[in-house]
Amino acid sequence: MTFLTLLLQAAPADYTQFLFPIAIAAVVYFFMIRPQQKRSADTKKFRQALAKGARIVTIGGLHGLVIELTEETVVVEVDRGVKLRFDRSAIAREVGTKAAEAAV
């Protein structure tokens, strides 16, 4: 066999050995990294869009009504006259809006 024949026979094996790690990296990116980045961006948008009067739940499970907002904090009324100050990052989700839309 000539050198050129050996080189042509070895070439496809060289390319395929790089295909598997690239495929694994693509699967990891599209099924693990990208969805997490999307969730993180959605959470950041939600926290920036908070408004007075929203019913929220904190990451600790405390339910309340937003009565005051600043750049970094949120004042939540959990009962009549009981106001607590939280970082915006402590707000997990808003409640009541989707339930009200579903009922209508």
Side-chain angles (χ1 to χ4, degrees):
M1 289 192 162
T2 65
F3 176 72
L4 183 60
T5 307
L6 289 174
L7 184 64
L8 289 175
Q9 288 176 353
D14 290 337
Y15 293 118
T16 57
Q17 73 183 0
F18 293 114
L19 185 61
F20 186 69
I22 290 171
I24 293 294
V27 167
V28 167
Y29 176 75
F30 284 108
F31 287 105
M32 296 177 73
I33 296 170
R34 190 167 181 235
Q36 180 60 36
Q37 288 175 339
K38 188 175 184 313
R39 272 192 301 273
S40 179
D42 290 344
T43 302
K44 185 176 180 180
K45 274 190 218 175
F46 159 72
R47 289 179 179 153
Q48 291 300 317
L50 277 175
K52 289 182 181 180
R55 295 202 171 276
I56 54 99
V57 177
T58 66
I59 57 174
L62 189 68
H63 292 246
L65 181 70
V66 176
I67 59 170
E68 184 182 327
L69 296 161
T70 65
E71 278 297 311
E72 296 179 3
T73 62
V74 177
V75 177
V76 178
E77 186 174 43
V78 293
D79 200 12
R80 290 187 184 139
V82 180
K83 299 174 185 174
L84 302 172
R85 183 176 305 273
F86 291 96
D87 284 343
R88 280 188 186 247
S89 62
I91 307 303
R93 61 189 170 96
E94 188 172 0
V95 294
T97 57
K98 291 183 181 171
E101 289 174 5
V104 173

